[in-house]
Amino acid sequence: MNTNVEVRKETHPETHKERALTPYAEVWNSDEKTLIVLDMPGVDESTLQVNFHENELKVEAKPLNLGITSALAYREFQLGKYFRKFNVSGSYDLSKTQANYKNGQLLIYLYKKQPLAIQIPVTVG
Amino acid sequence: MRFDLLEKELDRFQEEWAQSFLKGNGYMSKAPYPAVNIYQSEEGAELVALVSGYSSEDLDISVYENTVRLKGNISAPQHTEGMTLEKREIVRNEFTRTFELNFRIDSSKIEATYKNGVLRVKLPRMEEDKPKKITITKE
């Protein structure tokens, strides 16, 4: 079965004037499903949104408020809003799509439509 | 307050991070070890690390005098069993990061919490290393 997830990087989406971070992704495949893993540490899980519309999978989330009042002495990161789109082609049963956020990673499972297998009775004569 | 990072990779990491984020392309860092921020106050410091993909069991924190070391181990992810990796942007390795603070850490009062891929380690100063307020007497 031909299925494909095109990993698109959209840094400044037109619909989002607010600056957004693009989370890194992994795409895994098997005969039954496709798994998209997104690295999204520090997300406020109540703001997580995963939408699928016309072959476009859109993920967005806002960061946790860490509530730190101490002075920043050393910095390697800055939390922010996450946003990313994926183009998904192929036959997926969207009603089975699942998303789970765990340990700072969003796991999106897309289940493939299984080919219809029926036995055709053959009449003779 | 000054923090001396013992790892030699710091300069390279900072350069990569600066290019990837500060200069405006909006991507998270792709460095092979977790990004860390350190916050400070008179009471001590707080180390905050982005460790998505690691569970709390994968992480190890140790402290000696004024040095804190964060180690991460990889346990095989169960959610990808029987699947083939098609596209990869996430780098996840075993790592060790060591930071030297300019005060001794009270190891009996360290608190570490983990939520949503963010590890927070509170590192209180030893009482005798806290700034002392000196009362000035009038002559």
Side-chain angles (χ1 to χ4, degrees):
Chain A
M1 189 184 303
N2 183 26
T3 56
N4 185 41
V5 175
E6 180 192 334
V7 181
R8 238 169 81 188
K9 298 174 179 177
E10 193 151 332
T11 308
H12 297 291
E14 290 175 9
T15 54
H16 294 70
K17 291 179 181 174
E18 192 181 340
R19 179 189 171 90
L21 299 168
T22 307
Y24 281 119
E26 278 177 0
V27 180
W28 295 77
N29 235 324
S30 73
D31 291 341
E32 298 83 31
K33 60 183 183 273
T34 297
L35 167 63
I36 301 171
V37 182
L38 286 156
D39 240 3
M40 300 171 72
V43 157
D44 175 353
E45 57 267 57
S46 68
T47 68
L48 256 172
Q49 288 187 48
V50 181
N51 293 300
F52 202 106
H53 183 64
E54 293 181 351
N55 293 334
E56 191 170 77
L57 181 69
K58 193 167 76 175
V59 176
E60 53 193 318
K62 291 180 179 172
L64 280 171
N65 178 4
L66 296 179
I68 296 173
T69 54
S70 306
L72 181 63
Y74 175 76
R75 187 177 85 166
E76 292 178 353
F77 71 85
Q78 185 175 335
L79 289 180
K81 183 177 181 176
Y82 290 101
F83 181 87
R84 188 148 190 186
K85 282 179 182 177
F86 300 88
N87 282 343
V88 179
S89 59
S91 296
Y92 289 99
D93 184 349
L94 295 182
S95 65
K96 291 183 179 174
T97 302
Q98 295 175 341
N100 176 242
Y101 184 65
K102 186 182 178 186
N103 292 338
Q105 289 191 317
L106 180 65
L107 310 179
I108 303 170
Y109 294 91
L110 301 168
Y111 288 87
K112 297 174 183 176
K113 282 183 183 169
Q114 295 304 313
L116 196 61
I118 54 170
Q119 191 169 7
I120 312 293
V122 179
T123 57
V124 179
Chain B
M1 180 183 252
R2 193 171 73 88
F3 291 93
D4 296 317
L5 188 67
L6 299 180
E7 293 167 295
K8 291 180 180 175
E9 296 90 342
L10 174 63
D11 290 342
R12 182 171 52 79
F13 176 88
Q14 284 182 316
E15 187 179 342
E16 179 182 341
W17 183 79
Q19 286 173 358
S20 67
F21 184 79
L22 292 178
K23 289 184 180 174
N25 74 1
Y27 282 77
M28 297 295 288
S29 167
K30 206 175 183 180
Y33 37 78
V36 168
N37 281 1
I38 297 175
Y39 302 84
Q40 55 149 343
S41 71
E42 289 185 358
E43 296 302 310
E46 182 170 4
L47 182 152
V48 181
L50 300 185
V51 286
S52 52
Y54 296 87
S55 69
S56 55
E57 292 78 23
D58 295 332
L59 300 168
D60 180 69
I61 305 157
S62 57
V63 166
Y64 179 70
E65 293 189 341
N66 64 337
T67 302
V68 56
R69 190 178 69 180
L70 173 63
K71 286 182 75 175
N73 299 301
I74 302 287
S75 50
Q78 294 175 346
H79 52 262
T80 56
E81 269 182 14
M83 304 188 81
T84 307
L85 182 62
E86 288 207 342
K87 291 187 173 67
R88 181 178 198 174
E89 296 173 355
I90 298 170
V91 180
R92 187 159 293 101
N93 294 314
E94 293 187 359
F95 70 88
T96 302
R97 300 208 65 184
T98 308
F99 299 88
E100 190 174 312
L101 311 184
N102 66 348
F103 59 85
R104 287 173 300 157
I105 300 159
D106 186 346
S107 58
S108 67
K109 294 179 180 170
I110 293 171
E111 293 174 28
T113 57
Y114 181 67
K115 183 182 181 184
N116 294 357
V118 179
L119 176 71
R120 298 177 65 166
V121 187
K122 289 185 178 173
L123 304 160
R125 288 175 196 257
M126 292 285 279
E127 207 55 47
E128 50 269 39
D129 282 10
K130 287 184 181 175
K132 302 285 188 302
K133 188 172 182 180
I134 309 298
T135 306
I136 302 169
T137 52
K138 288 182 182 173
E139 288 187 6

